[in-house]
Amino acid sequence: MSAVPSPRPVTAPEFRAAKARGAKLAVVTAYDYTSARLCDEAGVDCILVGDSVGMVVQGHPTSLPVTLDEMIYHTKCVMRGARRALVVADLPFMTYQVSPRQAVRNAGRLMKEAGAHAVKLEGGVRARDAIRACVDAGIPVMGHVGLTPQSVHQMGGFKVQRDTEQLLADALAVEAAGAFSVVVEGVPADLGAKVTGAVGIPTVGIGAGAGCDGQVLVFHDMMGLYPDFKPKFAKRYADLGAAIKAATEQYCREVREGAFPAAEHTFR
């Protein structure tokens, strides 16, 4: 987790310990073998298998329709491509809110059936009992506070969260419940820095400023593969969407003109 990442697999305790060393953590949200393998080989510290798969892969307007079985499937795919990175799988909507027992059962499925190294669930104060129950069962948990996408309708949309008192209470509750890290999403930069200074576990920011201990971006956002929504916080490191479209247009032309397949693409 330095400038030149160690080849050793990243564990939840090592991820947590990075804060004390002042090491910044690079996290990417990915959903399949190919993207996971590329991110892992590039040196990311953690791959988050997010329920945002519902939007960028399945085409839903929110993450709410995603099921636990779908998360298990995508996590299995990611696990096959990850060799070094810590793999954290999202618990989707209504798989942990009913009771701590439900949370442990479903988090256990992500660990046992999919092979995840840890799980992530949304909510601060309201989720502390679920977090504690999972941790007590031996399941590492990453929290998620601020803008929590599973609460999009309650929040009235994907809106920046500015309630300092609530955000601090939520982050501290997540830490007290035993989480090894917490995602802080959609808050002003000064508030993201304040939360980072208030907790002893690493904060992973997404739209929370440079003061967080790490950052996470969605693979499809950073690679320019998801044109439907362009969040302010997402930096495009490549425009693969345009490149893929151009390549496919060329393929169509060559097929229609008889230029493909050529001799070198033909068995003899």
Side-chain angles (χ1 to χ4, degrees):
M1 286 177 284
S2 59
V4 180
S6 165
R8 281 197 336 268
V10 179
T11 65
E14 288 169 345
F15 193 92
R16 175 172 183 156
K19 184 178 182 110
R21 301 198 312 273
K24 292 286 190 177
L25 295 157
V27 183
V28 174
T29 296
Y31 319 101
D32 59 41
Y33 167 81
T34 302
S35 57
R37 181 174 177 177
L38 290 170
C39 290
D40 192 79
E41 291 176 351
V44 301
D45 300 300
C46 172
I47 298 174
L48 174 61
V49 190
D51 61 358
S52 49
V53 67
M55 301 173 71
V56 301
V57 175
Q58 298 176 352
H60 296 296
T62 71
S63 64
L64 301 184
V66 177
T67 69
L68 181 62
D69 285 340
E70 289 169 344
M71 289 304 305
I72 289 171
Y73 167 79
H74 285 283
T75 303
K76 285 181 177 180
C77 295
V78 167
M79 287 301 300
R80 295 185 192 110
R83 295 291 179 269
R84 174 185 173 272
L86 179 73
V87 176
V88 181
D90 262 348
L91 278 166
F93 183 59
M94 293 311 297
T95 63
Y96 60 93
Q97 290 93 337
V98 174
S99 69
R101 183 175 180 179
Q102 180 205 32
V104 172
R105 183 188 305 115
N106 291 328
R109 288 192 64 195
L110 283 169
M111 301 280 287
K112 188 175 181 67
E113 297 178 35
H117 302 134
V119 302
K120 181 175 75 64
L121 56 84
E122 296 182 5
V125 173
R126 71 177 188 267
R128 60 188 167 193
D129 290 342
I131 294 172
R132 172 53 63 191
C134 289
V135 172
D136 286 347
I139 300 171
V141 177
M142 177 181 283
H144 187 149
V145 301
L147 195 169
T148 47
Q150 291 177 12
S151 303
V152 60
H153 296 308
Q154 187 178 54
M155 291 179 169
F158 297 102
K159 296 180 178 179
V160 175
Q161 302 299 298
R162 304 180 184 277
D163 188 332
T164 301
E165 184 177 344
Q166 183 64 59
L167 187 64
L168 287 171
D170 283 340
L172 289 167
V174 166
E175 179 181 21
F180 71 90
S181 179
V182 58
V183 170
V184 182
E185 179 170 0
V187 303
D190 60 342
L191 189 47
K194 185 175 291 187
V195 171
T196 300
V199 296
I201 57 176
T203 56
V204 179
I206 179 164
C212 294
D213 298 305
Q215 300 293 327
V216 57
L217 282 179
V218 172
F219 182 84
H220 292 62
D221 288 339
M222 65 188 291
M223 297 302 175
L225 290 169
Y226 184 64
D228 296 350
F229 179 58
K230 299 177 183 177
K232 176 181 174 64
F233 57 75
K235 178 178 178 179
R236 280 193 175 178
Y237 285 84
D239 192 1
L240 300 187
I244 290 170
K245 182 179 178 181
T248 307
E249 288 173 344
Q250 180 178 350
Y251 163 73
C252 291
R253 284 195 303 271
E254 291 188 3
V255 168
R256 289 164 185 155
E257 294 169 357
F260 177 83
E264 64 266 30
H265 308 118
T266 304
F267 294 108
R268 297 184 183 278

